[in-house]
Amino acid sequence: MDQYTLNLLIVGASFALYIGIAIWSRAGSTAEFYAANRGVHPVMNGMATAADWMSAASFISMAGLIAGVGYINSTYLMGWTGGYVLLALLLAPYLRKFGKYTVPQFIGDRFYSQGARLVAVICLIIISVTYVIGQMTGAGVAFSRFLEVEVSTGLWIASAVVFVYAVLGGMKGITYTQVAQYVVLIIAYTIPAIFISIQLTGNPIPPLGLFSTHTEAGVPLLQKLDQVVTDLGFNAYTGQGSLLNMTLFTLSLMIGTAGLPHVIIRFFTVPRVADARWSAGWALVFIALLYLTAPAVGAMARLNIIDTIFPNGVEQPAVEYEQRPDWMRNWEVTGLLKFEDKNNDGRIQYYNDAAAGFNETATQRGWSGNELTINNDILVLANPEIAQLPGWVIGLIAAGGLAAALSTAAGLLLAISSAISHDLVKDWLVPNISEKGELMVARIAMAGAIFVATLLGLNPPGFAAQTVALAFGLAAASIFPVLMMGIFSKRVNSIGATAGMLVGLIVTCLYLFTYLGWFFIPGTNMLENVPANYLFGIPPTAFGPIGALLNFAVAFGLSAMTQEPPRHVQDLVESIRVPRGAGAATGH
Amino acid sequence: MADNSSSNAYWAANIRIITICLVIWAVVSYGFGILLRPLLSVIPVGGTDLGFWFAQQGSILVFIALIFYYAWYMNRIDREYGVDEQ
């Protein structure tokens, strides 16, 4: 069987599984559509949360980001997991006790203000829409490479599958497909890693392999890696980074993670407050299986790539272009891997031509610039091919990448559609809508959101990469502080919260637009995006914590100057702080 | 709901355990993983140092332990203060 048929078979089987689950778990009520009737077991919810959270960015991009610079990008590992500690300790149990369906609904009730709720809906939609674009483009890349269809055809197939289980099943259908998608993606991610770890170190557990001895070289793998990358002019893999930038960026990712609405609403689906606490722990266990594997994948792939290009060691001449392996040929077609023979010797020189100290060595060896550019995103997808693993492993990686992208897309789409049907239509525009009517509106909103997401995926705005920074920045600066204050302070009132959210939202947007262009349109930035221009040296991607700080300051300051919240709101805060009585809470 | 002084004591106990957990959370990630790494560089781990291990693996393992410990602790004091879900 050829590779193409194998890919088609494995991806097709995974899609059939998702659709089967969708038909089995149709939603019949709004309680099922929004919160899976609060009947999801905490371990199951942990697994679904893991798939919901781990997106194309985690599955496809993260190991590549780490492989590129090594230690410095540990920020992604700590940032994207540390947020769960905040979620488990500061938000999830109390919001589950509150017992409603959406994040804006809590903000509206706690701050007794339709205006606050509307601002929250706006933040939620900006965050979720920008996030979903990345998932759709990720699905498109996986489709075009492995199933050899046009990106557009692949996208329509992907959205048709999401349509079936998200529109039919709502949160219930999404939950059980996410459990299946987690299983697919974690198997797909770890199997190649295990093979490669055995090949390089003899240790079958990749996180242990990372710190083991490289069998061939007889020295620790990381030491060997440090040596070959510095021999090619790159910074040492385990080398030190800027302490301030790493700290702020990690903090930005942690607070942002805890403020993402599509992750928060997953904790509304468990039966009890105690389950919400356990469930956050299980979610992190399932996430950690991938996150502990990723740095091993990154380091080992970097070593394997250099080994492929310099088969006789980095001191010897590089491989001839005509002798390049098949995986390079395959990925050249996608444009994500490029070769340019600058010195016309027919060989692939790969080194850091930006390092001033390395120029002399390069000239001596007759090199006139780096000749190979590799997009970080291909690293995980190409990994099995680079390590020459069997064909079914390559098919599995394709199914895994799609599972990661689709599971996150579905969670985001649910957050968007419930904000529209519940916060806008049911509780604002048409308050006396029937339950059946609301369910219908929720389905239509879901279908509409899928359509918009597909269109945006087909024509990804050139700023897709930057908008992820916007999603995290806004979640950190607007949603997280206002939720935390709503639970931990009885004093913060509607004026303080609304103003705090608006300040967080606007200042964060302005800071990003200043360096990345107004609405991310290239060329409209007022200052060049270089460290010398940053306020106190803070890069735009790490601005979230500053926005959060301003949000807190404005909210506490204005609240202190104005009236304290009414009695019934203070009672509400009292009641969400204790678990007793959670079972009784319903949608209204 | 229990009477006011007992529910205040419950909340104070919760705030205390949250503070302890978040201090550990910050020390393993921002401390050992980033800011204190130069100090930990004397302790070698598999070809590099302890700070690198905390940044890529150790902090994640501690995060998991923290969440499970918090869940266990809170579920216990929920019963002690009589505010658990029956």
Side-chain angles (χ1 to χ4, degrees), chain A residues 71 74 78 81-82 84-85 89 94 207 211 220 222 238 247 251 254 272-274 277-278 281 295 577 579-580 582, chain B residues 10-11 14 18 21 25 30 33 37 46-48 53 55-57 59 63 67 70 74-75 78 82-86:
Chain A
Y71 167 76
S74 309
M78 290 186 284
T81 53
Y84 278 82
V85 179
L89 273 52
Y94 314 103
F211 295 96
L222 284 167
T238 61
T247 303
L251 195 57
M254 284 191 187
R272 303 179 315 145
V273 174
R277 296 180 185 136
W278 288 126
R577 287 179 177 181
R580 178 156 293 180
Chain B
Y10 168 76
W11 190 244
N14 183 20
I18 288 176
C21 288
W25 164 85
Y30 300 101
R37 187 182 175 211
T48 176
W53 180 80
Q56 300 220 328
Q57 293 183 1
S59 53
F63 294 157
I67 298 180
Y70 178 76
M74 285 308 286
N75 293 346
D78 282 355
V83 294
D84 58 324
E85 302 144 285
Q86 286 119 332

Side-chain angles (χ1 to χ4, degrees), chain A residues 337-352:
Chain A
L337 184 139
K338 289 194 194 88
F339 170 72
E340 184 196 344
D341 196 1
K342 290 178 182 161
N343 62 352
N344 295 317
D345 68 348
R347 292 175 185 274
I348 305 172
Q349 275 92 39
Y350 170 69
Y351 69 103
N352 183 13

Side-chain angles (χ1 to χ4, degrees), chain A residues 217-561:
Chain A
V219 295
L221 181 120
L222 284 167
Q223 197 180 321
K224 157 101 179 157
L225 183 56
D226 269 347
Q227 196 192 331
V228 296
V229 295
T230 45
D231 280 351
L232 292 172
F234 296 100
N235 292 327
Y237 192 80
T238 61
Q240 200 51 271
S242 151
L243 298 183
L244 174 77
N245 281 356
M246 283 184 70
T247 303
L248 273 180
F249 189 55
T250 307
L251 195 57
S252 175
L253 296 179
M254 284 191 187
I255 305 177
T257 301
L260 288 175
H262 73 285
V263 177
I264 296 172
I265 56 173
R266 283 240 45 97
F267 293 95
F268 296 177
T269 66
V270 293
R272 303 179 315 145
V273 174
D275 295 328
R277 296 180 185 136
W278 288 126
S279 200
W282 284 111
L284 192 53
V285 167
F286 293 123
I287 291 168
L289 286 180
L290 190 144
Y291 274 55
L292 291 175
T293 309
V297 169
M300 292 174 190
R302 181 94 184 264
L303 200 52
N304 269 339
I305 288 174
I306 294 175
D307 232 30
T308 310
I309 299 168
F310 295 96
N312 304 313
V314 292
E315 303 298 333
Q316 300 298 317
V319 71
E320 279 175 38
Y321 180 66
E322 289 310 319
Q323 305 293 318
R324 71 193 184 285
D326 284 341
W327 67 267
M328 283 195 174
R329 292 171 206 264
N330 292 340
W331 284 95
E332 268 176 311
V333 180
T334 63
L336 297 174
L337 184 139
K338 289 194 194 88
F339 170 72
E340 184 196 344
D341 196 1
K342 290 178 182 161
N343 62 352
N344 295 317
D345 68 348
R347 292 175 185 274
I348 305 172
Q349 275 92 39
Y350 170 69
Y351 69 103
N352 183 13
D353 54 7
F358 194 71
N359 280 344
E360 205 177 316
T361 321
T363 319
Q364 268 175 17
R365 299 185 67 171
W367 297 350
S368 19
N370 175 47
E371 299 177 344
L372 185 72
T373 44
I374 306 171
N375 185 315
N376 277 335
D377 281 356
I378 71 171
L379 199 133
V380 167
L381 298 178
N383 212 17
E385 300 165 85
I386 297 171
Q388 300 167 350
L389 298 181
W392 60 269
V393 182
I394 298 168
L396 206 53
I397 278 280
L402 287 169
L406 297 187
S407 59
T408 305
L412 290 160
L413 291 164
L414 184 82
I416 297 169
S417 72
S418 59
I420 293 172
S421 62
H422 199 64
D423 292 307
L424 294 185
V425 174
K426 161 80 184 168
D427 286 353
W428 191 39
L429 299 174
V430 199
N432 50 7
I433 193 169
S434 69
E435 155 136 16
K436 255 189 133 164
E438 190 188 347
L439 190 58
M440 183 49 86
V441 173
R443 290 196 156 118
I444 294 170
M446 177 75 83
I450 293 174
F451 187 68
V452 172
T454 313
L455 287 186
L456 286 170
L458 286 174
N459 311 296
F463 51 77
Q466 283 98 317
T467 53
V468 176
L470 178 72
F472 274 90
L474 286 191
S478 61
I479 305 270
F480 175 80
V482 85
L483 290 177
M484 197 182 151
M485 287 184 288
I487 296 160
F488 287 86
S489 162
K490 283 188 219 169
R491 189 61 188 82
V492 174
N493 59 22
S494 70
I495 299 173
T498 314
M501 258 194 295
L502 281 173
V503 166
L505 172 75
I506 293 168
V507 174
T508 307
C509 283
L510 287 180
Y511 196 76
L512 283 161
F513 291 160
T514 304
Y515 300 101
L516 304 174
W518 289 97
F519 302 96
F520 305 107
I521 297 166
T524 60
N525 52 325
M526 293 178 300
L527 288 171
E528 207 188 330
N529 190 13
V530 290
N533 287 335
Y534 298 156
L535 196 63
F536 305 118
I538 301 164
T541 45
F543 192 74
I546 314 295
L549 211 62
L550 290 172
N551 185 338
F552 279 122
V554 168
F556 281 120
L558 280 181
S559 298
M561 284 187 275

Side-chain angles (χ1 to χ4, degrees), chain A residues 48-65:
Chain A
T49 308
D52 190 61
W53 161 246
M54 290 193 285
S55 58
S58 289
F59 189 96
I60 299 175
S61 307
M62 194 174 61
L65 285 169

